[in-house]
Amino acid sequence: DTGVSQNPRHKITKRGQNVTFRCDPISEHNRLYWYRQTLGQGPEFLTYFQNEAQLEKSRLLSDRFSAERPKGSFSTLEIQRTEQGDSAMYLCASSSGVNTDTQYFGPGTRLTVL
Amino acid sequence: TQLLEQSPQFLSIQEGENLTVYCNSSSVFSSLQWYRQEPGEGPVLLVTVVTGGEVKKLKRLTFQFGDARKDSSLHITAAQPGDTGLYLCAGEGDTGGFKTIFGAGTRLFVKA
């Protein structure tokens, strides 16, 4: 059984470029979450999927951010026209939603915007 | 708005010492998780507590969920350098929502 995987692990881009991250959740998990984490802080919720449906989005998720989970399995997070303030660790987590919503995290994608 | 406050924010101790970190809220949570995160990696789940007053032990780590399910503590006995990391608590709301709230974490450094 593999855990949550994320690709790429690191991304360096220039301001104004678009970037896309991928998350593959634990196979039997139907819930998938995206978080952003900056240095010294806990993860901040961005968005959440139940199967392919995006059920909740944070106010942190500006118009430049979009997330999809087209087949209810893997998910992508795209950031358009990146800004230096987007530099952070982007974490994906999944959960089964059975009894509790305990979430299991991937290793994250570290984004650096120059 | 539900908030989780963790204390202390930073803790530096010598190997062999005991320590306790706290996670507090004015809100009730249906469950609470503790994670440990190392630099450049995602948080790794340590434990989930569900029942008020519940105590769980994981080797030298003891986790307690408050009776009212509003707070939790993590006690580490005889800390080792390998315990160094960011300890995060996360609470699942008790209002039927799906969103989990994270604290800002306690950064622990154990010196050899």
Side-chain angles (χ1 to χ4, degrees), chain A residues 61-81:
Chain A
L61 214 65
S62 75
D63 292 344
R64 297 184 297 104
F65 288 70
S66 62
E68 294 182 343
R69 195 184 183 197
K71 298 181 180 179
S73 56
F74 73 91
S75 176
T76 58
L77 176 68
E78 180 183 17
I79 308 174
Q80 296 182 325
R81 305 181 303 282

Side-chain angles (χ1 to χ4, degrees), chain B:
Chain B
T1 303
Q2 293 180 305
L3 291 174
L4 275 171
E5 294 185 353
Q6 290 192 243
S7 61
Q9 290 183 307
F10 182 80
L11 190 57
S12 180
I13 61 172
Q14 288 292 139
E15 181 177 7
E17 292 183 5
N18 301 333
L19 66 120
T20 302
V21 299
Y22 301 92
C23 176
N24 295 303
S25 177
S26 58
S27 302
V28 176
F29 293 97
S30 59
S31 72
L32 193 139
Q33 290 80 40
W34 283 94
Y35 294 84
R36 183 170 72 204
Q37 185 177 25
E38 298 189 14
E41 300 293 331
V44 175
L45 179 69
L46 296 174
V47 77
T48 295
V49 286
V50 178
T51 306
E54 183 177 4
V55 177
K56 281 191 174 180
K57 291 191 176 183
L58 185 66
K59 297 183 180 179
R60 294 177 293 100
L61 279 59
T62 301
F63 305 85
Q64 185 163 9
F65 201 14
D67 291 343
R69 291 183 291 131
K70 293 182 178 181
D71 53 81
S72 180
S73 64
L74 159 59
H75 182 79
I76 301 179
T77 303
Q80 298 176 1
D83 296 327
T84 294
L86 178 68
Y87 288 83
L88 294 161
C89 67
E92 179 183 359
D94 198 31
T95 59
F98 299 117
K99 192 168 65 179
T100 294
I101 308 296
F102 278 84
T106 292
R107 187 163 298 282
L108 172 66
F109 182 66
V110 182
K111 294 175 282 188

Side-chain angles (χ1 to χ4, degrees), chain A residues 9-28:
Chain A
R9 293 292 311 274
H10 303 275
K11 179 69 177 179
I12 300 174
T13 190
K14 292 183 179 179
R15 189 174 51 188
Q17 297 295 306
N18 299 343
V19 295
T20 300
F21 309 141
R22 177 178 169 126
C23 171
D24 287 88
I26 294 172
S27 59
E28 63 268 25

Side-chain angles (χ1 to χ4, degrees), chain A residues 4 8 11 15-16 18 22-23 25-26 29 31 33-34 39 41 44 53-54 68 77-78 86 101 113:
Chain A
V4 179
K11 179 69 177 179
R15 189 174 51 188
N18 299 343
R22 177 178 169 126
C23 171
I26 294 172
H29 285 181
R31 295 183 182 176
Y33 302 78
W34 285 99
L39 199 62
Q41 299 297 318
E44 295 175 294
Q54 188 173 18
E68 294 182 343
L77 176 68
E78 180 183 17
D86 297 332
D101 195 41
V113 182

